[in-house]
Amino acid sequence: MIYAELISIGDELLIGQVVNTNAPWISRQLNKAGFAVKQITVVGDLEDEIINALDLARKRADIILITGGLGPTKDDLTKQVLCKYFNTHLVFDPQAYNDIENIFRARGREVTPTNRTQAELPASCIPVYNKNGTAPGMWFHADGKVFVSMPGVPYEMEAMMTDFVIPKLMQEFKSTPVIHKTILTQGIGESYLSDMIAEWENNLPEYMKLAYLPAAGMVRLRLTGMGESKNMENEMIIETGKLKKLIAPYIYGEEDETLAEIIGKLLRASGKTLATAESCTGGNIAHLITSVPGSSEYYVGSVVSYSNEIKKNELNVNADTLLRKGAVSEEVAIQMAEGVRKKYNVDFAISTTGIAGPDGGSEEKPVGTVWIAVADAEKTIAKKFLLGTNRMRVIQVASETALNQLRKLIIGQI
Amino acid sequence: MIYAELISIGDELLIGQVVNTNAPWISRQLNKAGFAVKQITVVGDLEDEIINALDLARKRADIILITGGLGPTKDDLTKQVLCKYFNTHLVFDPQAYNDIENIFRARGREVTPTNRTQAELPASCIPVYNKNGTAPGMWFHADGKVFVSMPGVPYEMEAMMTDFVIPKLMQEFKSTPVIHKTILTQGIGESYLSDMIAEWENNLPEYMKLAYLPAAGMVRLRLTGMGESKNMENEMIIETGKLKKLIAPYIYGEEDETLAEIIGKLLRASGKTLATAESCTGGNIAHLITSVPGSSEYYVGSVVSYSNEIKKNELNVNADTLLRKGAVSEEVAIQMAEGVRKKYNVDFAISTTGIAGPDGGSEEKPVGTVWIAVADAEKTIAKKFLLGTNRMRVIQVASETALNQLRKLIIGQI
């Protein structure tokens, strides 16, 4: 097994101002590629501590991935420290400068002298170019070990890892063959899933391991097969097949797809269109849908109807229904979905109305009560969900649940 | 300065299954109490690695706080390793057992033999009792240093820290006073800020330090004062005042506020209302606004007008303007803002129209071109922004920029 270590650099991590989400992201990518992470170290922007962390990490691992401390300002030391550590000096890199110019041009600005220095890279490193930011990464070899320094900005680091670092690591090291299969579920908690599949999980061969990866509103199940077994591919298919049978009603997809992407594919394939009417989710469903490139092909828009006036005036929700049943009710959810479907002249519609909290709950309708409706030309289906008391979680889970309800409607599962 | 180090134990952290939110939480509490965190180390559930991490941490710091690995199952090793490390043995602790019994009673269950072993604690430790779970914490003294082991379950650890660990640390160590001031900026990059304040930054007293904390569309500047200076509080106010003068046009707030929260406060204070009309931001502005509890008091809703039909039919955008100028234009942004303001009968409105990419760009209007308009009863102000080529970044920066434009309009800064 080839081991890796992560070093995250930045005072902001040590005072707790920023949560280190880079480390788990990188760990997941390394795992998928067949490398194991031995240790994660967080140090401040201080030369001695960075050097000390590098010395210790190289004793334990073959791959050392470093993030952070590459900004143009003087509190960022990583590049200078690496120069010293690898006994080299800075040289101007025209391609890195070209990348920086492009970034500034796209933002309609001129490169500043401070940013020009970001194109200076240690002479002995292989540059890892950055299409999304001004700080290039650096790849060093020493004693048969690899050190890669990347920016701390997540989407800059993630693009470097995906496009360059992971493929090059797999080329340079013989990683242990690893196969992952990921099954995506929605609408069921981790512990219930665990009870449903306990027997299957206990009987898995020793070289297979299941991980539960919960997020707001969904749980991903990742089955990992590791080692040299000849039949691995085949055995993984068999075990994944068994798993899928056990939890079929909760599966919405496989591997890395999001619900918004799956819905996009279904709508595009059938040439159908979609609109949304959001109350408690407040535009988050629209945001998830429009985060998918090309969504304007099938998504026309949303009425975010936070006030009752807008529910009445724009979505044709009945004033009497609002009065008698309240805004958070089956009837209003149905009228909202049907209202936006007709108004925006689309094939499918989603609506949400609920109490995200922290205030507004009652005995009868506690915080976390959400009605979700999905509609097409033939039918409208509304369902009530109870989603807990954390406002952001209610919004997120309601949004993903609504997208899954639509997916089921499109494929005729409800 | 008294230094602390954190050791987080658990395989789930090394495969990226769980994000380490305990470490930043603990860091914030230690900082507030005047202790500095020097390093955070994440290791797996392995005896050698835990012992190695303890050895290294005690060389660098006086306080070592350990979380995780205290569960009742055999993959959790921390208690056994600590017994070995401090050369002691387990003894049954009646009060810890009493806590465990209470936890089980509240769930209507009997204590299992496995859980009974959790009441066994190292003879040489001071127990840190756990009112919220079955694993007690442990406080050790060695060579004038303090080691505290706590469970990894956040709310169990947090209660122990607040009720026992922080007060006892402040009693045992004389902590250094630390003051943080954070200034929030929008609409200017890190490197430009750095150029504008270079002289001031270079002249800061030695015991003050500035950190740049960039996120999509904004940069937080955190000034930290540390040490025994009698006038620290006063000097921090003076230096923060100088900083604010230098970059006044870019400041939108202080400390931990979000733009959506600031706008909420302004609108609530004046009893004014808001609506939005979003094209390229696709509902994300509505999502940010409605993430703030109580936003229904001032926010009525949004027209997410992804299609041109909806721009025309719902927002009264002129068909001829769309044809002549295109959807991404100053005129359309203005008509959208004014359209939604009238339609939804509100005091303020925001609109966005742009090209989030990756497709849809042209020479004249490249990907990342976004027009943002803000309107009140007297005027409508539209401005063009070039926000780069990453779709998610364009959406995020455009959303924060739009909120800041609104803030400026409300307070009469534009």
Short mmCIF file of all heavy atoms in Angstrom, two decimals, chain A residues 360-398:
data_model
loop_
_atom_site.label_atom_id
_atom_site.label_comp_id
_atom_site.label_asym_id
_atom_site.label_seq_id
_atom_site.Cartn_x
_atom_site.Cartn_y
_atom_site.Cartn_z
N GLY A 360 -42.13 29.98 14.02
CA GLY A 360 -43.26 29.70 13.14
C GLY A 360 -43.87 28.32 13.32
O GLY A 360 -44.83 27.98 12.65
N GLY A 361 -43.30 27.51 14.23
CA GLY A 361 -43.87 26.18 14.43
C GLY A 361 -45.05 26.20 15.39
O GLY A 361 -45.27 27.16 16.12
N SER A 362 -45.86 25.15 15.38
CA SER A 362 -46.98 25.01 16.31
C SER A 362 -47.10 23.53 16.68
O SER A 362 -46.41 22.69 16.11
CB SER A 362 -48.28 25.49 15.67
OG SER A 362 -48.60 24.64 14.58
N GLU A 363 -47.98 23.24 17.62
CA GLU A 363 -48.20 21.85 18.03
C GLU A 363 -48.57 21.01 16.80
O GLU A 363 -48.00 19.97 16.53
CB GLU A 363 -49.33 21.80 19.06
CG GLU A 363 -49.62 20.43 19.60
CD GLU A 363 -49.15 20.32 21.06
OE1 GLU A 363 -48.68 21.33 21.63
OE2 GLU A 363 -49.27 19.23 21.61
N GLU A 364 -49.50 21.54 16.02
CA GLU A 364 -50.04 20.80 14.89
C GLU A 364 -49.03 20.73 13.73
O GLU A 364 -48.91 19.73 13.03
CB GLU A 364 -51.33 21.50 14.42
CG GLU A 364 -52.14 20.72 13.43
CD GLU A 364 -53.06 21.65 12.63
OE1 GLU A 364 -53.17 22.85 12.98
OE2 GLU A 364 -53.64 21.18 11.65
N LYS A 365 -48.33 21.87 13.52
CA LYS A 365 -47.35 21.93 12.43
C LYS A 365 -46.01 22.37 13.01
O LYS A 365 -45.66 23.55 12.97
CB LYS A 365 -47.80 22.94 11.37
CG LYS A 365 -49.09 22.55 10.65
CD LYS A 365 -49.51 23.65 9.68
CE LYS A 365 -50.86 23.32 9.05
NZ LYS A 365 -51.33 24.42 8.18
N PRO A 366 -45.22 21.42 13.54
CA PRO A 366 -43.95 21.80 14.16
C PRO A 366 -42.92 22.28 13.12
O PRO A 366 -43.08 22.01 11.92
CB PRO A 366 -43.48 20.50 14.81
CG PRO A 366 -44.15 19.41 14.05
CD PRO A 366 -45.46 19.97 13.58
N VAL A 367 -41.91 23.01 13.59
CA VAL A 367 -40.80 23.39 12.72
C VAL A 367 -40.28 22.13 12.02
O VAL A 367 -40.12 21.09 12.64
CB VAL A 367 -39.66 24.05 13.53
CG1 VAL A 367 -38.38 24.18 12.70
CG2 VAL A 367 -40.08 25.43 14.04
N GLY A 368 -40.03 22.25 10.70
CA GLY A 368 -39.56 21.09 9.95
C GLY A 368 -40.65 20.43 9.13
O GLY A 368 -40.37 19.55 8.32
N THR A 369 -41.91 20.86 9.34
CA THR A 369 -43.01 20.33 8.53
C THR A 369 -42.93 20.93 7.13
O THR A 369 -42.92 22.15 6.97
CB THR A 369 -44.38 20.72 9.13
OG1 THR A 369 -44.43 20.29 10.49
CG2 THR A 369 -45.53 20.11 8.33
N VAL A 370 -42.84 20.09 6.10
CA VAL A 370 -42.75 20.59 4.72
C VAL A 370 -43.67 19.77 3.83
O VAL A 370 -43.62 18.54 3.84
CB VAL A 370 -41.30 20.49 4.18
CG1 VAL A 370 -41.24 20.98 2.74
CG2 VAL A 370 -40.32 21.28 5.05
N TRP A 371 -44.52 20.46 3.08
CA TRP A 371 -45.33 19.82 2.04
C TRP A 371 -44.63 20.03 0.69
O TRP A 371 -44.26 21.15 0.34
CB TRP A 371 -46.74 20.42 1.99
CG TRP A 371 -47.65 19.82 3.01
CD1 TRP A 371 -47.94 20.30 4.25
CD2 TRP A 371 -48.40 18.60 2.87
NE1 TRP A 371 -48.80 19.47 4.92
CE2 TRP A 371 -49.12 18.41 4.09
CE3 TRP A 371 -48.53 17.64 1.85
CZ2 TRP A 371 -49.95 17.31 4.30
CZ3 TRP A 371 -49.36 16.55 2.06
CH2 TRP A 371 -50.06 16.38 3.27
N ILE A 372 -44.47 18.93 -0.04
CA ILE A 372 -43.83 18.99 -1.36
C ILE A 372 -44.80 18.42 -2.38
O ILE A 372 -45.36 17.33 -2.17
CB ILE A 372 -42.52 18.18 -1.37
CG1 ILE A 372 -41.49 18.84 -0.45
CG2 ILE A 372 -41.97 18.02 -2.79
CD1 ILE A 372 -40.24 18.02 -0.23
N ALA A 373 -45.03 19.16 -3.48
CA ALA A 373 -45.89 18.63 -4.55
C ALA A 373 -45.13 18.61 -5.86
O ALA A 373 -44.29 19.49 -6.12
CB ALA A 373 -47.16 19.47 -4.69
N VAL A 374 -45.41 17.58 -6.66
CA VAL A 374 -44.88 17.53 -8.03
C VAL A 374 -46.05 17.29 -8.96
O VAL A 374 -46.99 16.57 -8.63
CB VAL A 374 -43.80 16.42 -8.20
CG1 VAL A 374 -42.52 16.80 -7.48
CG2 VAL A 374 -44.30 15.07 -7.69
N ALA A 375 -46.00 17.93 -10.14
CA ALA A 375 -47.15 17.87 -11.04
C ALA A 375 -46.72 17.68 -12.48
O ALA A 375 -45.68 18.19 -12.91
CB ALA A 375 -47.96 19.17 -10.92
N ASP A 376 -47.53 16.90 -13.23
CA ASP A 376 -47.43 16.94 -14.69
C ASP A 376 -48.83 17.17 -15.23
O ASP A 376 -49.74 17.54 -14.48
CB ASP A 376 -46.76 15.67 -15.25
CG ASP A 376 -47.55 14.40 -14.96
OD1 ASP A 376 -48.73 14.50 -14.55
OD2 ASP A 376 -47.00 13.30 -15.15
N ALA A 377 -49.06 16.95 -16.52
CA ALA A 377 -50.36 17.28 -17.09
C ALA A 377 -51.46 16.39 -16.52
O ALA A 377 -52.62 16.79 -16.41
CB ALA A 377 -50.30 17.14 -18.61
N GLU A 378 -51.09 15.15 -16.13
CA GLU A 378 -52.10 14.20 -15.66
C GLU A 378 -52.41 14.29 -14.17
O GLU A 378 -53.54 14.11 -13.76
CB GLU A 378 -51.68 12.76 -15.98
CG GLU A 378 -52.21 12.27 -17.31
CD GLU A 378 -51.16 12.42 -18.39
OE1 GLU A 378 -50.07 11.85 -18.22
OE2 GLU A 378 -51.40 13.16 -19.35
N LYS A 379 -51.36 14.47 -13.36
CA LYS A 379 -51.60 14.37 -11.93
C LYS A 379 -50.68 15.26 -11.11
O LYS A 379 -49.64 15.71 -11.58
CB LYS A 379 -51.46 12.92 -11.46
CG LYS A 379 -50.11 12.30 -11.76
CD LYS A 379 -50.09 10.83 -11.34
CE LYS A 379 -48.81 10.16 -11.84
NZ LYS A 379 -48.72 8.75 -11.55
N THR A 380 -51.11 15.50 -9.89
CA THR A 380 -50.30 16.24 -8.93
C THR A 380 -50.22 15.41 -7.65
O THR A 380 -51.26 14.96 -7.15
CB THR A 380 -50.95 17.60 -8.60
OG1 THR A 380 -51.14 18.30 -9.83
CG2 THR A 380 -50.07 18.43 -7.68
N ILE A 381 -48.99 15.19 -7.18
CA ILE A 381 -48.82 14.35 -5.99
C ILE A 381 -48.16 15.17 -4.88
O ILE A 381 -47.06 15.71 -5.07
CB ILE A 381 -47.98 13.11 -6.32
CG1 ILE A 381 -48.81 12.19 -7.23
CG2 ILE A 381 -47.60 12.35 -5.04
CD1 ILE A 381 -48.01 11.31 -8.10
N ALA A 382 -48.83 15.28 -3.75
CA ALA A 382 -48.28 16.03 -2.62
C ALA A 382 -47.98 15.08 -1.48
O ALA A 382 -48.69 14.09 -1.27
CB ALA A 382 -49.26 17.10 -2.16
N LYS A 383 -46.92 15.38 -0.74
CA LYS A 383 -46.53 14.51 0.37
C LYS A 383 -45.95 15.37 1.48
O LYS A 383 -45.27 16.36 1.22
CB LYS A 383 -45.49 13.49 -0.12
CG LYS A 383 -45.44 12.24 0.73
CD LYS A 383 -44.50 11.19 0.13
CE LYS A 383 -44.08 10.22 1.23
NZ LYS A 383 -43.09 9.26 0.79
N LYS A 384 -46.22 14.97 2.73
CA LYS A 384 -45.70 15.72 3.87
C LYS A 384 -44.42 15.08 4.40
O LYS A 384 -44.31 13.86 4.46
CB LYS A 384 -46.73 15.75 5.00
CG LYS A 384 -46.33 16.64 6.17
CD LYS A 384 -47.46 16.87 7.15
CE LYS A 384 -47.51 15.77 8.19
NZ LYS A 384 -48.42 16.15 9.31
N PHE A 385 -43.44 15.91 4.76
CA PHE A 385 -42.18 15.42 5.33
C PHE A 385 -41.90 16.17 6.63
O PHE A 385 -42.22 17.36 6.75
CB PHE A 385 -41.03 15.65 4.34
CG PHE A 385 -41.20 14.90 3.06
CD1 PHE A 385 -41.91 15.46 1.99
CD2 PHE A 385 -40.65 13.64 2.90
CE1 PHE A 385 -42.08 14.76 0.79
CE2 PHE A 385 -40.81 12.94 1.71
CZ PHE A 385 -41.53 13.49 0.66
N LEU A 386 -41.30 15.47 7.59
CA LEU A 386 -40.87 16.11 8.85
C LEU A 386 -39.35 16.08 8.87
O LEU A 386 -38.74 15.02 8.92
CB LEU A 386 -41.45 15.35 10.05
CG LEU A 386 -42.98 15.43 10.15
CD1 LEU A 386 -43.49 14.47 11.21
CD2 LEU A 386 -43.42 16.86 10.47
N LEU A 387 -38.72 17.27 8.82
CA LEU A 387 -37.29 17.33 8.51
C LEU A 387 -36.43 17.93 9.60
O LEU A 387 -35.34 18.42 9.35
CB LEU A 387 -37.09 18.07 7.18
CG LEU A 387 -37.89 17.50 5.98
CD1 LEU A 387 -37.71 18.36 4.75
CD2 LEU A 387 -37.47 16.06 5.67
N GLY A 388 -36.90 17.89 10.85
CA GLY A 388 -36.04 18.34 11.95
C GLY A 388 -36.11 19.84 12.18
O GLY A 388 -36.90 20.54 11.55
N THR A 389 -35.23 20.34 13.04
CA THR A 389 -35.39 21.73 13.50
C THR A 389 -34.27 22.67 13.07
O THR A 389 -34.30 23.85 13.39
CB THR A 389 -35.46 21.76 15.05
OG1 THR A 389 -34.27 21.13 15.55
CG2 THR A 389 -36.67 21.01 15.56
N ASN A 390 -33.28 22.18 12.33
CA ASN A 390 -32.19 23.06 11.89
C ASN A 390 -32.56 23.71 10.55
O ASN A 390 -32.77 23.02 9.56
CB ASN A 390 -30.90 22.24 11.77
CG ASN A 390 -29.74 23.07 11.28
OD1 ASN A 390 -29.68 23.45 10.12
ND2 ASN A 390 -28.82 23.38 12.18
N ARG A 391 -32.64 25.06 10.54
CA ARG A 391 -33.14 25.77 9.36
C ARG A 391 -32.43 25.38 8.06
O ARG A 391 -33.06 25.05 7.06
CB ARG A 391 -33.02 27.28 9.58
CG ARG A 391 -33.56 28.12 8.43
CD ARG A 391 -33.45 29.62 8.71
NE ARG A 391 -33.99 30.39 7.61
CZ ARG A 391 -35.26 30.72 7.49
NH1 ARG A 391 -36.13 30.33 8.39
NH2 ARG A 391 -35.69 31.40 6.44
N MET A 392 -31.09 25.42 8.05
CA MET A 392 -30.35 25.13 6.82
C MET A 392 -30.57 23.67 6.39
O MET A 392 -30.66 23.37 5.20
CB MET A 392 -28.86 25.42 6.99
CG MET A 392 -28.50 26.89 7.05
SD MET A 392 -29.27 27.88 5.71
CE MET A 392 -28.34 27.28 4.29
N ARG A 393 -30.66 22.77 7.40
CA ARG A 393 -30.89 21.37 7.06
C ARG A 393 -32.29 21.16 6.47
O ARG A 393 -32.45 20.42 5.51
CB ARG A 393 -30.67 20.50 8.31
CG ARG A 393 -30.55 19.04 7.98
CD ARG A 393 -30.27 18.16 9.18
NE ARG A 393 -30.22 16.78 8.76
CZ ARG A 393 -31.29 16.02 8.55
NH1 ARG A 393 -32.50 16.51 8.75
NH2 ARG A 393 -31.16 14.77 8.14
N VAL A 394 -33.27 21.83 7.04
CA VAL A 394 -34.64 21.72 6.51
C VAL A 394 -34.65 22.16 5.04
O VAL A 394 -35.20 21.48 4.17
CB VAL A 394 -35.64 22.57 7.33
CG1 VAL A 394 -37.00 22.63 6.64
CG2 VAL A 394 -35.78 21.99 8.74
N ILE A 395 -34.01 23.31 4.76
CA ILE A 395 -33.98 23.83 3.38
C ILE A 395 -33.29 22.83 2.45
O ILE A 395 -33.79 22.50 1.37
CB ILE A 395 -33.27 25.21 3.34
CG1 ILE A 395 -34.12 26.26 4.08
CG2 ILE A 395 -33.01 25.64 1.90
CD1 ILE A 395 -33.43 27.61 4.28
N GLN A 396 -32.14 22.31 2.88
CA GLN A 396 -31.38 21.40 2.02
C GLN A 396 -32.10 20.07 1.81
O GLN A 396 -32.19 19.59 0.68
CB GLN A 396 -29.99 21.16 2.61
CG GLN A 396 -29.04 22.31 2.32
CD GLN A 396 -27.82 22.31 3.21
OE1 GLN A 396 -27.58 21.35 3.93
NE2 GLN A 396 -27.05 23.39 3.18
N VAL A 397 -32.58 19.48 2.90
CA VAL A 397 -33.24 18.17 2.76
C VAL A 397 -34.53 18.32 1.95
O VAL A 397 -34.84 17.50 1.09
CB VAL A 397 -33.51 17.53 4.14
CG1 VAL A 397 -34.22 16.20 3.97
CG2 VAL A 397 -32.21 17.33 4.90
N ALA A 398 -35.29 19.39 2.20
CA ALA A 398 -36.53 19.60 1.44
C ALA A 398 -36.21 19.75 -0.05
O ALA A 398 -36.94 19.21 -0.90
CB ALA A 398 -37.26 20.84 1.96
#
